Amino acid sequence: MFQTAPGVTIPFPDKIQEEFKVYDGKSIYANISFEKLKPMLTEFYHSLPEPLFFVLQLPLLMHEERKMGDSNTFHQEVCYLDGQTKSQIDDIMEKYGQILLEDGMSQFAVASHVNNEEIFIQKYKLTAFYSSSPRRFIPFLKRYGLTETDNLITVWNTFSQETPGECRRVSINGFDVYDVAEQLKKQGMYRAKIIES
């Protein structure tokens, strides 16, 4: 059965299949069961040309959200850590990968400065692979047991007023994604923009 991350609850996991849909010239969107996320993420960014960059997207903390002045809209900060080697990304994933993958609040990506190919692990762990030639990743996805479909049913299709999904902040030994952000900012990660959630 499809596994969700510890920080994520979805109403009908039985309706989610490990499938992907190709958007030619743009991207692939994929439902990846939780236990496969880390190996697929690692293999994907190891295939990218260096230098790489890391992206972390987090909801604004409440005191910052209040300063935005619009109580009907929520915002996220988008942070970048540029000019990374694969071994530097390996180090980030070794230190913080468990929290990033288990957490329900954050979204993150690893991409190449050279060709802009990217893996983006989004809300509810829906995963996007961006590329101008995404079909080249089909053998990689099939190797992990995913199948191609023209009608991708994602968790978003299963939500309703009566059956919503839930995303939660995960803390491991008192350390969460906001602590990860603080640590990475010490390594040069910077806030690039604030966007609406």
mmCIF file of all heavy atoms in Angstrom, residues 13-52:
data_model
loop_
_atom_site.group_PDB
_atom_site.id
_atom_site.type_symbol
_atom_site.label_atom_id
_atom_site.label_comp_id
_atom_site.label_asym_id
_atom_site.label_seq_id
_atom_site.Cartn_x
_atom_site.Cartn_y
_atom_site.Cartn_z
ATOM 1 N N PRO A 13 -5.402 6.604 1.237
ATOM 2 C CA PRO A 13 -4.132 6.156 0.641
ATOM 3 C C PRO A 13 -4.324 5.031 -0.375
ATOM 4 O O PRO A 13 -3.528 4.892 -1.309
ATOM 5 C CB PRO A 13 -3.311 5.682 1.844
ATOM 6 C CG PRO A 13 -4.262 5.543 2.977
ATOM 7 C CD PRO A 13 -5.414 6.449 2.700
ATOM 8 N N ASP A 14 -5.421 4.267 -0.233
ATOM 9 C CA ASP A 14 -5.685 3.163 -1.171
ATOM 10 C C ASP A 14 -6.012 3.668 -2.577
ATOM 11 O O ASP A 14 -5.915 2.908 -3.552
ATOM 12 C CB ASP A 14 -6.833 2.287 -0.650
ATOM 13 C CG ASP A 14 -8.068 3.093 -0.293
ATOM 14 O OD1 ASP A 14 -7.934 4.068 0.481
ATOM 15 O OD2 ASP A 14 -9.162 2.772 -0.789
ATOM 16 N N LYS A 15 -6.370 4.963 -2.702
ATOM 17 C CA LYS A 15 -6.694 5.518 -4.028
ATOM 18 C C LYS A 15 -5.450 6.027 -4.764
ATOM 19 O O LYS A 15 -5.531 6.393 -5.937
ATOM 20 C CB LYS A 15 -7.698 6.671 -3.895
ATOM 21 C CG LYS A 15 -9.076 6.217 -3.456
ATOM 22 C CD LYS A 15 -10.055 7.383 -3.461
ATOM 23 C CE LYS A 15 -11.448 6.910 -3.055
ATOM 24 N NZ LYS A 15 -12.411 8.018 -2.993
ATOM 25 N N ILE A 16 -4.316 6.079 -4.063
ATOM 26 C CA ILE A 16 -3.087 6.617 -4.658
ATOM 27 C C ILE A 16 -2.225 5.475 -5.173
ATOM 28 O O ILE A 16 -1.859 4.569 -4.431
ATOM 29 C CB ILE A 16 -2.299 7.464 -3.623
ATOM 30 C CG1 ILE A 16 -3.188 8.554 -3.026
ATOM 31 C CG2 ILE A 16 -1.043 8.063 -4.265
ATOM 32 C CD1 ILE A 16 -3.796 9.500 -4.031
ATOM 33 N N GLN A 17 -1.923 5.534 -6.453
ATOM 34 C CA GLN A 17 -1.056 4.541 -7.084
ATOM 35 C C GLN A 17 0.317 5.156 -7.350
ATOM 36 O O GLN A 17 0.430 6.363 -7.556
ATOM 37 C CB GLN A 17 -1.663 4.082 -8.421
ATOM 38 C CG GLN A 17 -3.058 3.507 -8.312
ATOM 39 C CD GLN A 17 -3.117 2.275 -7.430
ATOM 40 O OE1 GLN A 17 -2.298 1.371 -7.558
ATOM 41 N NE2 GLN A 17 -4.085 2.238 -6.519
ATOM 42 N N GLU A 18 1.334 4.294 -7.367
ATOM 43 C CA GLU A 18 2.675 4.779 -7.698
ATOM 44 C C GLU A 18 2.754 4.944 -9.212
ATOM 45 O O GLU A 18 3.128 4.030 -9.942
ATOM 46 C CB GLU A 18 3.732 3.813 -7.183
ATOM 47 C CG GLU A 18 3.915 3.929 -5.681
ATOM 48 C CD GLU A 18 5.242 3.372 -5.239
ATOM 49 O OE1 GLU A 18 5.310 2.153 -5.041
ATOM 50 O OE2 GLU A 18 6.201 4.141 -5.114
ATOM 51 N N GLU A 19 2.356 6.119 -9.642
ATOM 52 C CA GLU A 19 2.279 6.432 -11.065
ATOM 53 C C GLU A 19 2.885 7.804 -11.324
ATOM 54 O O GLU A 19 3.092 8.594 -10.410
ATOM 55 C CB GLU A 19 0.817 6.427 -11.530
ATOM 56 C CG GLU A 19 0.153 5.062 -11.443
ATOM 57 C CD GLU A 19 -1.320 5.097 -11.856
ATOM 58 O OE1 GLU A 19 -1.995 6.128 -11.639
ATOM 59 O OE2 GLU A 19 -1.782 4.070 -12.391
ATOM 60 N N PHE A 20 3.125 8.072 -12.604
ATOM 61 C CA PHE A 20 3.626 9.389 -12.996
ATOM 62 C C PHE A 20 2.989 9.810 -14.311
ATOM 63 O O PHE A 20 2.542 8.969 -15.092
ATOM 64 C CB PHE A 20 5.162 9.391 -13.118
ATOM 65 C CG PHE A 20 5.715 8.484 -14.184
ATOM 66 C CD1 PHE A 20 5.898 8.934 -15.486
ATOM 67 C CD2 PHE A 20 6.060 7.167 -13.894
ATOM 68 C CE1 PHE A 20 6.419 8.105 -16.476
ATOM 69 C CE2 PHE A 20 6.565 6.331 -14.862
ATOM 70 C CZ PHE A 20 6.754 6.798 -16.166
ATOM 71 N N LYS A 21 2.952 11.128 -14.498
ATOM 72 C CA LYS A 21 2.440 11.693 -15.749
ATOM 73 C C LYS A 21 3.501 12.612 -16.333
ATOM 74 O O LYS A 21 4.088 13.427 -15.615
ATOM 75 C CB LYS A 21 1.148 12.478 -15.502
ATOM 76 C CG LYS A 21 0.547 13.059 -16.776
ATOM 77 C CD LYS A 21 -0.803 13.698 -16.546
ATOM 78 C CE LYS A 21 -1.350 14.273 -17.853
ATOM 79 N NZ LYS A 21 -2.679 14.873 -17.669
ATOM 80 N N VAL A 22 3.728 12.477 -17.636
ATOM 81 C CA VAL A 22 4.727 13.290 -18.335
ATOM 82 C C VAL A 22 4.049 14.500 -18.974
ATOM 83 O O VAL A 22 3.019 14.367 -19.648
ATOM 84 C CB VAL A 22 5.439 12.467 -19.430
ATOM 85 C CG1 VAL A 22 6.465 13.330 -20.175
ATOM 86 C CG2 VAL A 22 6.105 11.228 -18.835
ATOM 87 N N TYR A 23 4.626 15.666 -18.741
ATOM 88 C CA TYR A 23 4.224 16.900 -19.423
ATOM 89 C C TYR A 23 5.378 17.247 -20.353
ATOM 90 O O TYR A 23 6.411 17.769 -19.910
ATOM 91 C CB TYR A 23 3.958 18.016 -18.411
ATOM 92 C CG TYR A 23 2.816 17.686 -17.473
ATOM 93 C CD1 TYR A 23 3.038 16.946 -16.308
ATOM 94 C CD2 TYR A 23 1.508 18.080 -17.758
ATOM 95 C CE1 TYR A 23 1.991 16.623 -15.455
ATOM 96 C CE2 TYR A 23 0.455 17.755 -16.905
ATOM 97 C CZ TYR A 23 0.705 17.032 -15.758
ATOM 98 O OH TYR A 23 -0.332 16.705 -14.920
ATOM 99 N N ASP A 24 5.239 16.891 -21.624
ATOM 100 C CA ASP A 24 6.366 16.974 -22.555
ATOM 101 C C ASP A 24 7.003 18.352 -22.584
ATOM 102 O O ASP A 24 6.307 19.366 -22.633
ATOM 103 C CB ASP A 24 5.924 16.565 -23.962
ATOM 104 C CG ASP A 24 5.899 15.045 -24.117
ATOM 105 O OD1 ASP A 24 6.873 14.402 -23.686
ATOM 106 O OD2 ASP A 24 4.899 14.513 -24.643
ATOM 107 N N GLY A 25 8.322 18.345 -22.559
ATOM 108 C CA GLY A 25 9.084 19.586 -22.613
ATOM 109 C C GLY A 25 9.114 20.360 -21.321
ATOM 110 O O GLY A 25 9.706 21.433 -21.248
ATOM 111 N N LYS A 26 8.461 19.823 -20.264
ATOM 112 C CA LYS A 26 8.356 20.577 -19.011
ATOM 113 C C LYS A 26 8.728 19.757 -17.786
ATOM 114 O O LYS A 26 9.664 20.094 -17.067
ATOM 115 C CB LYS A 26 6.929 21.100 -18.821
ATOM 116 C CG LYS A 26 6.512 22.172 -19.805
ATOM 117 C CD LYS A 26 5.098 22.640 -19.507
ATOM 118 C CE LYS A 26 4.635 23.655 -20.534
ATOM 119 N NZ LYS A 26 3.218 23.981 -20.368
ATOM 120 N N SER A 27 7.939 18.685 -17.543
ATOM 121 C CA SER A 27 8.080 18.035 -16.243
ATOM 122 C C SER A 27 7.442 16.658 -16.219
ATOM 123 O O SER A 27 6.758 16.249 -17.170
ATOM 124 C CB SER A 27 7.418 18.901 -15.156
ATOM 125 O OG SER A 27 6.026 19.030 -15.426
ATOM 126 N N ILE A 28 7.685 15.978 -15.112
ATOM 127 C CA ILE A 28 6.970 14.760 -14.746
ATOM 128 C C ILE A 28 6.455 14.969 -13.330
ATOM 129 O O ILE A 28 7.194 15.450 -12.462
ATOM 130 C CB ILE A 28 7.890 13.525 -14.779
ATOM 131 C CG1 ILE A 28 8.300 13.184 -16.224
ATOM 132 C CG2 ILE A 28 7.221 12.311 -14.117
ATOM 133 C CD1 ILE A 28 9.313 12.058 -16.335
ATOM 134 N N TYR A 29 5.194 14.629 -13.096
ATOM 135 C CA TYR A 29 4.654 14.619 -11.734
ATOM 136 C C TYR A 29 4.465 13.168 -11.321
ATOM 137 O O TYR A 29 3.995 12.350 -12.126
ATOM 138 C CB TYR A 29 3.330 15.386 -11.656
ATOM 139 C CG TYR A 29 3.554 16.871 -11.459
ATOM 140 C CD1 TYR A 29 3.893 17.689 -12.530
ATOM 141 C CD2 TYR A 29 3.475 17.441 -10.197
ATOM 142 C CE1 TYR A 29 4.127 19.040 -12.356
ATOM 143 C CE2 TYR A 29 3.704 18.794 -10.012
ATOM 144 C CZ TYR A 29 4.037 19.587 -11.089
ATOM 145 O OH TYR A 29 4.292 20.918 -10.901
ATOM 146 N N ALA A 30 4.837 12.853 -10.074
ATOM 147 C CA ALA A 30 4.836 11.458 -9.652
ATOM 148 C C ALA A 30 4.341 11.291 -8.224
ATOM 149 O O ALA A 30 4.637 12.104 -7.346
ATOM 150 C CB ALA A 30 6.252 10.890 -9.766
ATOM 151 N N ASN A 31 3.582 10.211 -8.015
ATOM 152 C CA ASN A 31 3.246 9.730 -6.677
ATOM 153 C C ASN A 31 4.317 8.709 -6.296
ATOM 154 O O ASN A 31 4.395 7.643 -6.929
ATOM 155 C CB ASN A 31 1.889 9.013 -6.664
ATOM 156 C CG ASN A 31 0.721 9.927 -6.955
ATOM 157 O OD1 ASN A 31 0.717 11.092 -6.575
ATOM 158 N ND2 ASN A 31 -0.281 9.392 -7.628
ATOM 159 N N ILE A 32 5.131 9.035 -5.305
ATOM 160 C CA ILE A 32 6.203 8.134 -4.881
ATOM 161 C C ILE A 32 5.941 7.736 -3.432
ATOM 162 O O ILE A 32 5.811 8.606 -2.562
ATOM 163 C CB ILE A 32 7.580 8.814 -5.016
ATOM 164 C CG1 ILE A 32 7.841 9.223 -6.473
ATOM 165 C CG2 ILE A 32 8.688 7.878 -4.509
ATOM 166 C CD1 ILE A 32 9.094 10.067 -6.673
ATOM 167 N N SER A 33 5.873 6.446 -3.195
ATOM 168 C CA SER A 33 5.660 5.959 -1.835
ATOM 169 C C SER A 33 6.844 6.372 -0.958
ATOM 170 O O SER A 33 7.991 6.404 -1.412
ATOM 171 C CB SER A 33 5.504 4.432 -1.857
ATOM 172 O OG SER A 33 5.001 3.962 -0.629
ATOM 173 N N PHE A 34 6.551 6.711 0.295
ATOM 174 C CA PHE A 34 7.529 7.348 1.180
ATOM 175 C C PHE A 34 8.861 6.606 1.262
ATOM 176 O O PHE A 34 9.922 7.228 1.247
ATOM 177 C CB PHE A 34 6.940 7.523 2.584
ATOM 178 C CG PHE A 34 7.903 8.131 3.559
ATOM 179 C CD1 PHE A 34 8.256 9.472 3.452
ATOM 180 C CD2 PHE A 34 8.478 7.369 4.565
ATOM 181 C CE1 PHE A 34 9.162 10.051 4.343
ATOM 182 C CE2 PHE A 34 9.375 7.929 5.459
ATOM 183 C CZ PHE A 34 9.714 9.268 5.344
ATOM 184 N N GLU A 35 8.823 5.276 1.310
ATOM 185 C CA GLU A 35 10.064 4.529 1.515
ATOM 186 C C GLU A 35 11.018 4.631 0.323
ATOM 187 O O GLU A 35 12.214 4.348 0.444
ATOM 188 C CB GLU A 35 9.763 3.052 1.855
ATOM 189 C CG GLU A 35 9.325 2.184 0.696
ATOM 190 C CD GLU A 35 7.848 2.312 0.323
ATOM 191 O OE1 GLU A 35 7.128 3.152 0.929
ATOM 192 O OE2 GLU A 35 7.413 1.571 -0.582
ATOM 193 N N LYS A 36 10.515 5.086 -0.831
ATOM 194 C CA LYS A 36 11.357 5.214 -2.028
ATOM 195 C C LYS A 36 11.870 6.634 -2.241
ATOM 196 O O LYS A 36 12.728 6.861 -3.104
ATOM 197 C CB LYS A 36 10.575 4.774 -3.276
ATOM 198 C CG LYS A 36 10.195 3.305 -3.259
ATOM 199 C CD LYS A 36 9.372 2.955 -4.484
ATOM 200 C CE LYS A 36 8.892 1.503 -4.412
ATOM 201 N NZ LYS A 36 7.993 1.181 -5.536
ATOM 202 N N LEU A 37 11.339 7.590 -1.487
ATOM 203 C CA LEU A 37 11.694 8.997 -1.736
ATOM 204 C C LEU A 37 13.189 9.257 -1.605
ATOM 205 O O LEU A 37 13.793 9.887 -2.474
ATOM 206 C CB LEU A 37 10.934 9.920 -0.783
ATOM 207 C CG LEU A 37 9.588 10.463 -1.248
ATOM 208 C CD1 LEU A 37 8.976 11.326 -0.154
ATOM 209 C CD2 LEU A 37 9.718 11.258 -2.540
ATOM 210 N N LYS A 38 13.790 8.805 -0.515
ATOM 211 C CA LYS A 38 15.212 9.131 -0.298
ATOM 212 C C LYS A 38 16.114 8.521 -1.364
ATOM 213 O O LYS A 38 16.945 9.229 -1.937
ATOM 214 C CB LYS A 38 15.658 8.718 1.103
ATOM 215 C CG LYS A 38 17.058 9.218 1.394
ATOM 216 C CD LYS A 38 17.511 8.973 2.808
ATOM 217 C CE LYS A 38 18.881 9.585 3.033
ATOM 218 N NZ LYS A 38 19.392 9.293 4.383
ATOM 219 N N PRO A 39 15.989 7.207 -1.669
ATOM 220 C CA PRO A 39 16.870 6.683 -2.713
ATOM 221 C C PRO A 39 16.643 7.317 -4.082
ATOM 222 O O PRO A 39 17.603 7.548 -4.822
ATOM 223 C CB PRO A 39 16.573 5.176 -2.731
ATOM 224 C CG PRO A 39 15.317 4.989 -1.961
ATOM 225 C CD PRO A 39 15.213 6.140 -1.019
ATOM 226 N N MET A 40 15.398 7.637 -4.415
ATOM 227 C CA MET A 40 15.130 8.264 -5.711
ATOM 228 C C MET A 40 15.687 9.681 -5.763
ATOM 229 O O MET A 40 16.274 10.094 -6.763
ATOM 230 C CB MET A 40 13.631 8.253 -6.012
ATOM 231 C CG MET A 40 13.102 6.856 -6.289
ATOM 232 S SD MET A 40 11.361 6.828 -6.753
ATOM 233 C CE MET A 40 11.424 7.437 -8.440
ATOM 234 N N LEU A 41 15.490 10.438 -4.674
ATOM 235 C CA LEU A 41 16.049 11.785 -4.578
ATOM 236 C C LEU A 41 17.567 11.752 -4.769
ATOM 237 O O LEU A 41 18.131 12.502 -5.572
ATOM 238 C CB LEU A 41 15.698 12.385 -3.213
ATOM 239 C CG LEU A 41 16.450 13.639 -2.774
ATOM 240 C CD1 LEU A 41 16.037 14.833 -3.617
ATOM 241 C CD2 LEU A 41 16.189 13.929 -1.295
ATOM 242 N N THR A 42 18.222 10.847 -4.031
ATOM 243 C CA THR A 42 19.684 10.770 -4.079
ATOM 244 C C THR A 42 20.171 10.395 -5.464
ATOM 245 O O THR A 42 21.084 11.038 -6.012
ATOM 246 C CB THR A 42 20.183 9.748 -3.032
ATOM 247 O OG1 THR A 42 19.680 10.126 -1.749
ATOM 248 C CG2 THR A 42 21.702 9.715 -2.984
ATOM 249 N N GLU A 43 19.561 9.382 -6.046
ATOM 250 C CA GLU A 43 19.996 8.960 -7.393
ATOM 251 C C GLU A 43 19.764 10.073 -8.408
ATOM 252 O O GLU A 43 20.602 10.306 -9.287
ATOM 253 C CB GLU A 43 19.258 7.686 -7.819
ATOM 254 C CG GLU A 43 19.748 7.167 -9.154
ATOM 255 C CD GLU A 43 19.123 5.853 -9.592
ATOM 256 O OE1 GLU A 43 18.564 5.127 -8.736
ATOM 257 O OE2 GLU A 43 19.186 5.552 -10.806
ATOM 258 N N PHE A 44 18.646 10.772 -8.282
ATOM 259 C CA PHE A 44 18.339 11.827 -9.251
ATOM 260 C C PHE A 44 19.370 12.953 -9.185
ATOM 261 O O PHE A 44 19.929 13.340 -10.212
ATOM 262 C CB PHE A 44 16.935 12.391 -9.023
ATOM 263 C CG PHE A 44 16.541 13.409 -10.058
ATOM 264 C CD1 PHE A 44 15.984 13.011 -11.263
ATOM 265 C CD2 PHE A 44 16.739 14.767 -9.844
ATOM 266 C CE1 PHE A 44 15.634 13.942 -12.236
ATOM 267 C CE2 PHE A 44 16.388 15.709 -10.809
ATOM 268 C CZ PHE A 44 15.836 15.291 -12.005
ATOM 269 N N TYR A 45 19.637 13.492 -7.988
ATOM 270 C CA TYR A 45 20.557 14.635 -7.970
ATOM 271 C C TYR A 45 21.995 14.221 -8.268
ATOM 272 O O TYR A 45 22.785 15.028 -8.753
ATOM 273 C CB TYR A 45 20.418 15.498 -6.704
ATOM 274 C CG TYR A 45 20.957 14.965 -5.396
ATOM 275 C CD1 TYR A 45 22.321 14.858 -5.152
ATOM 276 C CD2 TYR A 45 20.089 14.625 -4.355
ATOM 277 C CE1 TYR A 45 22.800 14.404 -3.927
ATOM 278 C CE2 TYR A 45 20.553 14.178 -3.133
ATOM 279 C CZ TYR A 45 21.921 14.066 -2.927
ATOM 280 O OH TYR A 45 22.402 13.631 -1.722
ATOM 281 N N HIS A 46 22.320 12.959 -8.041
ATOM 282 C CA HIS A 46 23.653 12.478 -8.427
ATOM 283 C C HIS A 46 23.808 12.392 -9.938
ATOM 284 O O HIS A 46 24.936 12.346 -10.435
ATOM 285 C CB HIS A 46 23.965 11.136 -7.756
ATOM 286 C CG HIS A 46 24.558 11.290 -6.399
ATOM 287 N ND1 HIS A 46 25.922 11.393 -6.172
ATOM 288 C CD2 HIS A 46 23.979 11.416 -5.179
ATOM 289 C CE1 HIS A 46 26.146 11.548 -4.881
ATOM 290 N NE2 HIS A 46 24.980 11.576 -4.251
ATOM 291 N N SER A 47 22.690 12.390 -10.666
ATOM 292 C CA SER A 47 22.763 12.351 -12.138
ATOM 293 C C SER A 47 22.888 13.749 -12.740
ATOM 294 O O SER A 47 23.101 13.889 -13.944
ATOM 295 C CB SER A 47 21.508 11.670 -12.702
ATOM 296 O OG SER A 47 20.383 12.542 -12.632
ATOM 297 N N LEU A 48 22.743 14.795 -11.914
ATOM 298 C CA LEU A 48 22.747 16.171 -12.418
ATOM 299 C C LEU A 48 24.165 16.725 -12.528
ATOM 300 O O LEU A 48 25.038 16.380 -11.722
ATOM 301 C CB LEU A 48 21.941 17.081 -11.482
ATOM 302 C CG LEU A 48 20.458 16.756 -11.301
ATOM 303 C CD1 LEU A 48 19.842 17.702 -10.280
ATOM 304 C CD2 LEU A 48 19.716 16.829 -12.623
ATOM 305 N N PRO A 49 24.397 17.618 -13.508
ATOM 306 C CA PRO A 49 25.711 18.264 -13.596
ATOM 307 C C PRO A 49 25.884 19.340 -12.520
ATOM 308 O O PRO A 49 24.969 20.119 -12.265
ATOM 309 C CB PRO A 49 25.716 18.874 -14.997
ATOM 310 C CG PRO A 49 24.277 19.060 -15.362
ATOM 311 C CD PRO A 49 23.519 17.987 -14.643
ATOM 312 N N GLU A 50 27.043 19.354 -11.882
ATOM 313 C CA GLU A 50 27.361 20.380 -10.879
ATOM 314 C C GLU A 50 27.697 21.700 -11.575
ATOM 315 O O GLU A 50 28.120 21.691 -12.723
ATOM 316 C CB GLU A 50 28.574 19.938 -10.045
ATOM 317 C CG GLU A 50 28.303 18.750 -9.184
ATOM 318 C CD GLU A 50 29.542 18.285 -8.408
ATOM 319 O OE1 GLU A 50 30.669 18.720 -8.744
ATOM 320 O OE2 GLU A 50 29.382 17.485 -7.488
ATOM 321 N N PRO A 51 27.552 22.842 -10.852
ATOM 322 C CA PRO A 51 27.112 22.965 -9.472
ATOM 323 C C PRO A 51 25.597 22.813 -9.329
ATOM 324 O O PRO A 51 24.840 23.086 -10.249
ATOM 325 C CB PRO A 51 27.559 24.382 -9.079
ATOM 326 C CG PRO A 51 27.568 25.145 -10.366
ATOM 327 C CD PRO A 51 27.962 24.146 -11.417
ATOM 328 N N LEU A 52 25.194 22.377 -8.128
ATOM 329 C CA LEU A 52 23.785 22.193 -7.804
ATOM 330 C C LEU A 52 23.321 23.307 -6.870
ATOM 331 O O LEU A 52 24.138 24.033 -6.307
ATOM 332 C CB LEU A 52 23.562 20.843 -7.115
ATOM 333 C CG LEU A 52 24.092 19.601 -7.829
ATOM 334 C CD1 LEU A 52 23.788 18.340 -7.014
ATOM 335 C CD2 LEU A 52 23.526 19.472 -9.227
#
